[in-house]
Amino acid sequence: MTDILMPKATAVWLVDNTSLTFEQIADFCGLHPLEVRGIADGDVARDIRGADPLVNGQLTREELDKAQTNDSYRMKAVVSRHAELLKTTKGGPKYTPVSRRQDRPDAIAWFVRNHPEVTDAQIAKLLGTTKSTIEGVRSRTHWNAANIKPVDPVTLGLVGQLELDEIVKKAAEKKAKDDAKRGGPALQPIEPEAVEPEFVPDEPVRPGAEPTAASVFGNR
């Protein structure tokens, strides 16, 4: 089965305009038969307008006629160039304009100094550079090491702020997990502070009602 555009809208049209079974429509549109039944009952896709697959070039009349005369026949969709354009592709290596490539060592130095938790592979993918270049910047063996200075890659226009924040966050979370597995740095319990005893003044000694000779002259 070929993926088609607007599967639910196509299913709506096929339910309303053909004698196909729910299973045939579900197979063609990539839906579950119960979902197609829900469309027929008005419980699903109630507000979706039907899309004619014959008009938009995703189904031929011959295929439709074969399916309507044979309940076990499964229709084959026509490969649409529009569907091919809409397919998601895996992102390739990041492309950096020639005018910006000379700034990459500065961005690498910024990562090395400020975010050592970000791996070389992450830096290479983000900046479109190589691990050997990163190692050269880190070890100061890069051919232009004397002129390299750490600069925020967002300031250089090499990446966006959201993209940078995301990769730093992921690297920090991974480092925390790795440290926890290795029994690495962890928060130490806070030692309770010593509590000084509360100062209580000595109770003054009250003089007697009548002074005695001993209290006045002392005992001799």
Side-chain angles (χ1 to χ4, degrees):
M1 184 192 70
T2 302
D3 292 336
I4 63 173
L5 301 176
M6 301 181 293
K8 285 190 178 181
T10 301
V12 169
W13 188 91
L14 292 173
V15 167
D16 293 339
N17 297 276
T18 70
S19 59
L20 298 173
T21 66
F22 295 153
E23 288 75 15
Q24 286 175 305
I25 296 174
D27 182 82
F28 181 75
C29 298
L31 303 175
H32 193 280
L34 292 179
E35 192 171 6
V36 178
R37 181 182 294 275
I39 292 174
D41 294 339
D43 298 329
V44 179
R46 185 179 304 171
D47 299 325
I48 295 180
R49 183 177 180 181
D52 186 347
L54 300 173
V55 173
N56 59 32
Q58 297 186 96
L59 181 67
T60 63
R61 172 60 66 179
E62 289 74 18
E63 282 292 298
L64 180 57
D65 291 341
K66 287 180 183 179
Q68 291 189 110
T69 57
N70 183 358
D71 292 349
S72 62
Y73 184 78
R74 296 295 180 260
M75 297 183 296
K76 298 178 180 61
V78 177
V79 178
S80 171
R81 65 182 184 86
H82 300 293
E84 292 295 326
L85 292 174
L86 291 176
K87 284 185 178 179
T88 57
T89 57
K90 294 183 179 179
K94 183 180 178 65
Y95 174 76
T96 304
V98 177
S99 60
R100 295 287 186 182
R101 291 178 188 177
Q102 61 185 4
D103 297 330
R104 285 186 296 194
D106 292 342
I108 294 171
W110 183 88
F111 272 109
V112 171
R113 187 183 72 174
N114 296 287
H115 292 286
E117 71 277 10
V118 179
T119 66
D120 290 358
Q122 289 175 312
I123 297 174
K125 183 177 180 180
L126 186 67
L127 301 179
T129 186
T130 63
K131 291 185 178 181
S132 60
T133 301
I134 298 171
E135 182 56 34
V137 173
R138 179 182 287 109
S139 61
R140 304 293 295 175
T141 58
H142 189 275
W143 66 270
N144 195 32
N147 298 318
I148 295 176
K149 56 183 179 179
V151 182
D152 187 338
V154 176
T155 303
L156 294 172
L158 295 174
V159 298
Q161 186 64 56
L162 294 178
E163 189 178 10
L164 176 62
D165 292 344
E166 183 66 20
I167 196 170
V168 170
K169 179 183 177 182
K170 288 182 179 179
E173 291 175 350
K174 184 178 185 303
K175 183 177 184 301
K177 291 180 180 179
D178 292 342
D179 288 344
K181 290 180 181 178
R182 293 193 296 264
L187 294 177
Q188 300 297 326
I190 300 175
E191 294 287 343
E193 295 183 1
V195 180
E196 296 183 0
E198 183 180 358
F199 173 75
V200 179
D202 295 333
E203 185 176 354
V205 178
R206 291 186 176 182
E210 294 291 337
T212 62
S215 64
V216 176
F217 301 103
N219 294 324
R220 295 193 180 186

Short mmCIF file of all heavy atoms in Angstrom, two decimals, residues 140-182:
data_model
loop_
_atom_site.label_atom_id
_atom_site.label_comp_id
_atom_site.label_asym_id
_atom_site.label_seq_id
_atom_site.Cartn_x
_atom_site.Cartn_y
_atom_site.Cartn_z
N ARG A 140 44.91 22.80 21.22
CA ARG A 140 45.67 23.98 20.75
C ARG A 140 46.66 23.61 19.65
O ARG A 140 47.71 24.25 19.50
CB ARG A 140 46.41 24.65 21.91
CG ARG A 140 45.55 25.08 23.08
CD ARG A 140 44.61 26.20 22.73
NE ARG A 140 45.32 27.43 22.39
CZ ARG A 140 44.71 28.53 21.95
NH1 ARG A 140 43.39 28.54 21.78
NH2 ARG A 140 45.42 29.61 21.65
N THR A 141 46.32 22.58 18.86
CA THR A 141 47.19 22.20 17.74
C THR A 141 46.59 22.64 16.41
O THR A 141 47.12 22.31 15.36
CB THR A 141 47.40 20.68 17.73
OG1 THR A 141 46.13 20.01 17.64
CG2 THR A 141 48.12 20.22 18.99
N HIS A 142 45.47 23.33 16.46
CA HIS A 142 44.83 23.85 15.24
C HIS A 142 45.77 24.83 14.57
O HIS A 142 46.51 25.58 15.23
CB HIS A 142 43.52 24.53 15.61
CG HIS A 142 42.67 24.89 14.44
ND1 HIS A 142 42.84 26.07 13.73
CD2 HIS A 142 41.62 24.25 13.82
CE1 HIS A 142 41.94 26.14 12.76
NE2 HIS A 142 41.20 25.04 12.80
N TRP A 143 45.76 24.85 13.24
CA TRP A 143 46.71 25.70 12.51
C TRP A 143 46.54 27.17 12.83
O TRP A 143 47.50 27.95 12.74
CB TRP A 143 46.53 25.49 11.01
CG TRP A 143 45.20 25.96 10.47
CD1 TRP A 143 44.06 25.24 10.37
CD2 TRP A 143 44.88 27.27 9.98
NE1 TRP A 143 43.04 26.00 9.85
CE2 TRP A 143 43.51 27.25 9.60
CE3 TRP A 143 45.61 28.45 9.82
CZ2 TRP A 143 42.88 28.37 9.08
CZ3 TRP A 143 44.97 29.56 9.29
CH2 TRP A 143 43.61 29.52 8.93
N ASN A 144 45.34 27.56 13.28
CA ASN A 144 45.09 28.97 13.60
C ASN A 144 44.85 29.16 15.09
O ASN A 144 44.13 30.07 15.51
CB ASN A 144 43.87 29.46 12.80
CG ASN A 144 43.76 30.97 12.78
OD1 ASN A 144 44.77 31.68 12.80
ND2 ASN A 144 42.55 31.48 12.75
N ALA A 145 45.44 28.30 15.90
CA ALA A 145 45.19 28.31 17.34
C ALA A 145 45.46 29.66 17.99
O ALA A 145 44.76 30.06 18.93
CB ALA A 145 46.02 27.23 18.02
N ALA A 146 46.44 30.37 17.50
CA ALA A 146 46.81 31.65 18.12
C ALA A 146 45.70 32.68 18.01
O ALA A 146 45.63 33.62 18.83
CB ALA A 146 48.09 32.18 17.49
N ASN A 147 44.85 32.55 17.00
CA ASN A 147 43.80 33.55 16.77
C ASN A 147 42.41 33.07 17.18
O ASN A 147 41.44 33.80 16.99
CB ASN A 147 43.78 33.94 15.29
CG ASN A 147 45.08 34.57 14.84
OD1 ASN A 147 45.65 35.40 15.54
ND2 ASN A 147 45.57 34.17 13.67
N ILE A 148 42.31 31.86 17.73
CA ILE A 148 41.00 31.32 18.12
C ILE A 148 40.62 31.85 19.50
O ILE A 148 41.41 31.81 20.44
CB ILE A 148 41.02 29.79 18.13
CG1 ILE A 148 41.23 29.25 16.72
CG2 ILE A 148 39.71 29.24 18.70
CD1 ILE A 148 41.36 27.73 16.65
N LYS A 149 39.41 32.36 19.59
CA LYS A 149 38.90 32.83 20.88
C LYS A 149 37.46 32.35 21.04
O LYS A 149 36.70 32.32 20.07
CB LYS A 149 38.96 34.35 20.97
CG LYS A 149 38.23 35.07 19.86
CD LYS A 149 38.39 36.57 19.98
CE LYS A 149 37.66 37.28 18.83
NZ LYS A 149 37.78 38.76 18.92
N PRO A 150 37.05 31.94 22.24
CA PRO A 150 35.70 31.43 22.43
C PRO A 150 34.63 32.49 22.15
O PRO A 150 34.66 33.58 22.72
CB PRO A 150 35.69 31.03 23.92
CG PRO A 150 37.13 30.88 24.29
CD PRO A 150 37.86 31.87 23.46
N VAL A 151 33.71 32.17 21.28
CA VAL A 151 32.60 33.05 20.95
C VAL A 151 31.32 32.22 20.87
O VAL A 151 31.32 31.14 20.28
CB VAL A 151 32.82 33.80 19.62
CG1 VAL A 151 31.65 34.75 19.34
CG2 VAL A 151 34.13 34.57 19.63
N ASP A 152 30.26 32.74 21.47
CA ASP A 152 28.96 32.07 21.46
C ASP A 152 28.53 31.78 20.02
O ASP A 152 28.48 32.69 19.19
CB ASP A 152 27.93 32.97 22.15
CG ASP A 152 26.58 32.30 22.34
OD1 ASP A 152 26.29 31.33 21.62
OD2 ASP A 152 25.82 32.75 23.22
N PRO A 153 28.22 30.51 19.68
CA PRO A 153 27.82 30.19 18.31
C PRO A 153 26.53 30.88 17.87
O PRO A 153 26.31 31.07 16.68
CB PRO A 153 27.65 28.66 18.34
CG PRO A 153 27.46 28.32 19.78
CD PRO A 153 28.25 29.32 20.54
N VAL A 154 25.69 31.27 18.83
CA VAL A 154 24.48 32.02 18.48
C VAL A 154 24.87 33.41 17.99
O VAL A 154 24.33 33.92 17.00
CB VAL A 154 23.52 32.12 19.68
CG1 VAL A 154 22.31 32.99 19.34
CG2 VAL A 154 23.05 30.73 20.11
N THR A 155 25.82 34.02 18.67
CA THR A 155 26.31 35.33 18.26
C THR A 155 26.93 35.27 16.88
O THR A 155 26.79 36.21 16.08
CB THR A 155 27.34 35.86 19.28
OG1 THR A 155 26.74 35.90 20.58
CG2 THR A 155 27.83 37.25 18.90
N LEU A 156 27.59 34.16 16.59
CA LEU A 156 28.24 34.00 15.28
C LEU A 156 27.24 33.67 14.18
O LEU A 156 27.59 33.70 13.00
CB LEU A 156 29.29 32.88 15.36
CG LEU A 156 30.49 33.16 16.26
CD1 LEU A 156 31.35 31.90 16.38
CD2 LEU A 156 31.32 34.31 15.72
N GLY A 157 26.01 33.36 14.57
CA GLY A 157 24.99 33.04 13.58
C GLY A 157 25.08 31.62 13.05
O GLY A 157 24.50 31.29 12.01
N LEU A 158 25.78 30.73 13.78
CA LEU A 158 25.94 29.35 13.34
C LEU A 158 24.77 28.48 13.76
O LEU A 158 24.45 27.48 13.10
CB LEU A 158 27.25 28.77 13.89
CG LEU A 158 28.53 29.42 13.37
CD1 LEU A 158 29.73 28.86 14.10
CD2 LEU A 158 28.68 29.21 11.87
N VAL A 159 24.13 28.81 14.88
CA VAL A 159 22.98 28.05 15.38
C VAL A 159 21.98 29.01 15.99
O VAL A 159 22.30 30.17 16.28
CB VAL A 159 23.41 27.00 16.45
CG1 VAL A 159 24.37 25.99 15.88
CG2 VAL A 159 24.02 27.68 17.65
N GLY A 160 20.77 28.51 16.22
CA GLY A 160 19.75 29.30 16.90
C GLY A 160 19.81 29.08 18.40
O GLY A 160 20.34 28.07 18.88
N GLN A 161 19.26 30.01 19.16
CA GLN A 161 19.31 29.92 20.61
C GLN A 161 18.57 28.70 21.13
O GLN A 161 19.04 28.00 22.04
CB GLN A 161 18.73 31.19 21.23
CG GLN A 161 18.87 31.27 22.74
CD GLN A 161 20.32 31.32 23.20
OE1 GLN A 161 21.06 32.19 22.77
NE2 GLN A 161 20.72 30.39 24.05
N LEU A 162 17.39 28.41 20.55
CA LEU A 162 16.61 27.26 21.00
C LEU A 162 17.36 25.96 20.73
O LEU A 162 17.36 25.04 21.56
CB LEU A 162 15.25 27.24 20.31
CG LEU A 162 14.29 28.39 20.67
CD1 LEU A 162 13.00 28.27 19.87
CD2 LEU A 162 13.98 28.38 22.16
N GLU A 163 18.00 25.89 19.57
CA GLU A 163 18.75 24.69 19.21
C GLU A 163 19.93 24.48 20.15
O GLU A 163 20.22 23.36 20.60
CB GLU A 163 19.25 24.81 17.76
CG GLU A 163 19.87 23.55 17.20
CD GLU A 163 20.29 23.73 15.75
OE1 GLU A 163 20.28 24.87 15.25
OE2 GLU A 163 20.64 22.71 15.12
N LEU A 164 20.60 25.59 20.49
CA LEU A 164 21.73 25.51 21.41
C LEU A 164 21.28 25.09 22.80
O LEU A 164 21.89 24.21 23.44
CB LEU A 164 22.43 26.87 21.48
CG LEU A 164 23.59 26.97 22.48
CD1 LEU A 164 24.71 26.01 22.12
CD2 LEU A 164 24.13 28.41 22.53
N ASP A 165 20.19 25.69 23.29
CA ASP A 165 19.68 25.35 24.62
C ASP A 165 19.29 23.88 24.69
O ASP A 165 19.53 23.23 25.72
CB ASP A 165 18.46 26.22 24.95
CG ASP A 165 18.83 27.69 25.14
OD1 ASP A 165 20.02 27.98 25.31
OD2 ASP A 165 17.92 28.54 25.11
N GLU A 166 18.72 23.37 23.63
CA GLU A 166 18.28 21.98 23.62
C GLU A 166 19.45 21.01 23.71
O GLU A 166 19.42 20.05 24.48
CB GLU A 166 17.48 21.70 22.34
CG GLU A 166 16.91 20.29 22.24
CD GLU A 166 15.84 20.01 23.29
OE1 GLU A 166 15.27 20.98 23.83
OE2 GLU A 166 15.59 18.82 23.55
N ILE A 167 20.52 21.27 22.96
CA ILE A 167 21.65 20.35 22.97
C ILE A 167 22.41 20.42 24.29
O ILE A 167 22.89 19.41 24.81
CB ILE A 167 22.59 20.63 21.77
CG1 ILE A 167 23.53 19.44 21.58
CG2 ILE A 167 23.41 21.89 21.98
CD1 ILE A 167 24.33 19.51 20.29
N VAL A 168 22.49 21.61 24.88
CA VAL A 168 23.15 21.76 26.17
C VAL A 168 22.34 21.03 27.26
O VAL A 168 22.90 20.36 28.13
CB VAL A 168 23.32 23.24 26.53
CG1 VAL A 168 23.78 23.41 27.98
CG2 VAL A 168 24.35 23.89 25.60
N LYS A 169 21.03 21.15 27.18
CA LYS A 169 20.16 20.48 28.15
C LYS A 169 20.31 18.97 28.06
O LYS A 169 20.44 18.27 29.08
CB LYS A 169 18.70 20.88 27.89
CG LYS A 169 17.71 20.21 28.83
CD LYS A 169 16.29 20.61 28.48
CE LYS A 169 15.28 19.88 29.36
NZ LYS A 169 13.88 20.22 28.98
N LYS A 170 20.30 18.42 26.83
CA LYS A 170 20.43 16.99 26.65
C LYS A 170 21.78 16.49 27.16
O LYS A 170 21.87 15.44 27.79
CB LYS A 170 20.26 16.63 25.17
CG LYS A 170 18.84 16.75 24.65
CD LYS A 170 18.76 16.32 23.19
CE LYS A 170 17.33 16.41 22.68
NZ LYS A 170 17.24 16.02 21.24
N ALA A 171 22.84 17.25 26.87
CA ALA A 171 24.17 16.85 27.31
C ALA A 171 24.27 16.85 28.83
O ALA A 171 24.87 15.95 29.43
CB ALA A 171 25.22 17.78 26.70
N ALA A 172 23.67 17.84 29.46
CA ALA A 172 23.70 17.92 30.92
C ALA A 172 22.94 16.77 31.56
O ALA A 172 23.38 16.17 32.55
CB ALA A 172 23.13 19.26 31.38
N GLU A 173 21.79 16.43 30.99
CA GLU A 173 20.99 15.32 31.52
C GLU A 173 21.73 13.99 31.36
O GLU A 173 21.72 13.15 32.26
CB GLU A 173 19.64 15.26 30.80
CG GLU A 173 18.72 16.43 31.14
CD GLU A 173 17.44 16.41 30.32
OE1 GLU A 173 17.37 15.61 29.36
OE2 GLU A 173 16.51 17.18 30.63
N LYS A 174 22.39 13.81 30.22
CA LYS A 174 23.13 12.57 29.99
C LYS A 174 24.31 12.46 30.95
O LYS A 174 24.59 11.39 31.49
CB LYS A 174 23.64 12.51 28.54
CG LYS A 174 24.33 11.21 28.20
CD LYS A 174 24.76 11.19 26.74
CE LYS A 174 25.35 9.83 26.37
NZ LYS A 174 26.49 9.46 27.22
N LYS A 175 24.99 13.56 31.18
CA LYS A 175 26.13 13.55 32.11
C LYS A 175 25.67 13.22 33.52
O LYS A 175 26.33 12.47 34.24
CB LYS A 175 26.85 14.90 32.09
CG LYS A 175 28.09 14.94 32.97
CD LYS A 175 28.78 16.27 32.86
CE LYS A 175 30.08 16.27 33.68
NZ LYS A 175 29.84 15.99 35.11
N ALA A 176 24.53 13.77 33.92
CA ALA A 176 24.01 13.50 35.26
C ALA A 176 23.68 12.02 35.42
O ALA A 176 23.95 11.42 36.46
CB ALA A 176 22.78 14.36 35.51
N LYS A 177 23.10 11.42 34.36
CA LYS A 177 22.76 9.99 34.42
C LYS A 177 24.03 9.14 34.48
O LYS A 177 24.10 8.17 35.23
CB LYS A 177 21.92 9.60 33.20
CG LYS A 177 20.52 10.18 33.21
CD LYS A 177 19.75 9.74 31.97
CE LYS A 177 18.34 10.33 31.97
NZ LYS A 177 17.59 9.94 30.74
N ASP A 178 25.03 9.52 33.69
CA ASP A 178 26.28 8.75 33.68
C ASP A 178 26.98 8.85 35.03
O ASP A 178 27.53 7.87 35.52
CB ASP A 178 27.21 9.27 32.56
CG ASP A 178 26.67 8.97 31.17
OD1 ASP A 178 25.79 8.09 31.06
OD2 ASP A 178 27.11 9.62 30.21
N ASP A 179 26.97 10.04 35.63
CA ASP A 179 27.59 10.22 36.94
C ASP A 179 26.87 9.38 37.99
O ASP A 179 27.50 8.80 38.88
CB ASP A 179 27.56 11.70 37.35
CG ASP A 179 28.55 12.54 36.54
OD1 ASP A 179 29.45 11.94 35.92
OD2 ASP A 179 28.41 13.77 36.53
N ALA A 180 25.54 9.32 37.88
CA ALA A 180 24.77 8.54 38.85
C ALA A 180 25.08 7.05 38.72
O ALA A 180 25.19 6.33 39.71
CB ALA A 180 23.28 8.79 38.64
N LYS A 181 25.25 6.56 37.47
CA LYS A 181 25.57 5.15 37.26
C LYS A 181 26.94 4.80 37.81
O LYS A 181 27.16 3.71 38.33
CB LYS A 181 25.51 4.81 35.76
CG LYS A 181 24.11 4.81 35.19
CD LYS A 181 24.14 4.47 33.70
CE LYS A 181 22.74 4.50 33.10
NZ LYS A 181 22.77 4.21 31.65
N ARG A 182 27.90 5.72 37.66
CA ARG A 182 29.26 5.47 38.12
C ARG A 182 29.45 5.81 39.59
O ARG A 182 30.54 5.67 40.13
CB ARG A 182 30.25 6.29 37.29
CG ARG A 182 30.36 5.86 35.84
CD ARG A 182 31.56 6.50 35.20
NE ARG A 182 31.45 7.95 35.15
CZ ARG A 182 31.00 8.62 34.11
NH1 ARG A 182 30.61 7.97 33.03
NH2 ARG A 182 30.92 9.93 34.13
#
